[in-house]
Amino acid sequence: GESVGLHLPTLSVQEGDNSIINCAYSNSASDYFIWYKQESGKGPQFIIDIRSNMDKRQGQRVTVLLNKTVKHLSLQIAATQPGDSAVYFCAPRGSGTYKYIFGTGTRLKVLA
Amino acid sequence: DTAVSQTPKYLVTQMGNDKSIKCEQNLGHDTMYWYKQDSKKFLKIMFSYNNKELIINETVPNRFSPKSPDKAHLNLHINSLELGDSAVYFCASSQGPLTQETQYFGPGTRLLVL
């Protein structure tokens, strides 16, 4: 079956530093990927997405990199702020399917 | 304005009871979803409806029955609740099922079965 793994369950970063959250996926047919942020007590919230025909996409303070060869995604957050503290999920979608497979999540802790 | 809303926010009940969770979206989306998130934050899809038609039905006990009276509402009814049903249940919606659109999540319903 499909699986999504994360290299680090918890990441602690000093405020102002850059954060990198990694995600490995298993389905090579995945054609679309979303990163979500989930703050404590809330539902997941869209951060940024990327299609499989791209290898990089930038948003405001966030960049997603996609390496289809090794089936790996990363989310980079520049100048990490206390408000970035949350659990981050990557969610690949299989081509032609309705389903997103969520990873187990990485908890990002921002240290003052 | 709340885009995706769920009621109740908290639900504490005894084993064996039957309960319902309601979800409404005011985004004009065609597709709605139910997810279950366990204590380890693992988020797994349960059901999806597109224009009131069931399109995803994962391996979920048949004690769980979704109902979509119209495309703005997707309710989840659970019969004979078990301890293992304790989790946070999230409703979500998206423009369509196959478009590359993000899903908008509700605030979650925290279910505790005693």
Side-chain angles (χ1 to χ4, degrees), chain A residues 30-86:
Chain A
S30 294
D31 64 348
Y32 180 58
F33 307 82
I34 300 179
W35 278 99
Y36 284 93
K37 172 186 179 183
Q38 185 178 19
E39 296 175 271
S40 181
K42 296 183 179 179
Q45 182 182 18
F46 173 89
I47 303 174
I48 192 167
D49 60 356
I50 189 167
R51 290 175 172 73
S52 58
N53 61 354
M54 305 167 70
D55 51 26
K56 180 178 180 179
R57 188 155 192 229
Q58 286 185 289
Q60 190 177 12
R61 283 202 307 119
V62 294
T63 301
V64 55
L65 300 178
L66 174 62
N67 185 331
K68 294 183 293 293
T69 303
V70 295
K71 292 182 282 190
H72 182 271
L73 277 151
S74 68
L75 177 71
Q76 301 177 1
I77 305 173
T80 312
Q81 301 169 0
D84 295 327
S85 293

Side-chain angles (χ1 to χ4, degrees), chain B residues 7-114:
Chain B
T7 53
K9 187 169 182 180
Y10 298 96
L11 187 52
V12 181
T13 188
Q14 298 287 332
M15 258 195 325
N17 284 349
D18 303 338
K19 290 292 178 186
S20 291
I21 308 172
K22 295 186 176 182
C23 178
E24 177 181 2
Q25 54 95 2
N26 63 6
L27 297 166
H29 288 167
D30 287 341
T31 309
M32 296 183 73
Y33 311 80
W34 275 111
Y35 286 85
K36 179 180 179 181
Q37 187 173 49
D38 63 20
S39 57
K40 295 180 181 176
K41 296 289 188 182
F42 186 68
L43 197 62
K44 184 169 166 52
I45 191 161
M46 301 171 69
F47 302 103
S48 178
Y49 272 72
N50 182 55
N51 272 323
K52 302 195 297 175
E53 180 186 344
L54 182 67
I55 58 171
I56 295 176
N57 186 356
E58 288 297 282
T59 307
V60 175
N62 57 15
R63 298 182 294 104
F64 290 79
S65 52
K67 281 191 172 54
S68 182
D70 54 63
K71 71 175 192 179
H73 296 84
L74 180 61
N75 304 324
L76 183 66
H77 188 76
I78 316 170
N79 288 327
S80 303
L81 278 154
E82 300 178 358
L83 295 176
D85 298 332
S86 296
V88 183
Y89 292 83
F90 286 102
C91 177
S93 73
S94 65
Q95 184 63 49
L98 283 178
T99 56
Q100 291 176 338
E101 296 273 348
T102 187
Q103 295 175 14
Y104 293 84
F105 283 78
T109 295
R110 285 140 190 86
L111 172 65
L112 177 60
V113 183
L114 303 173

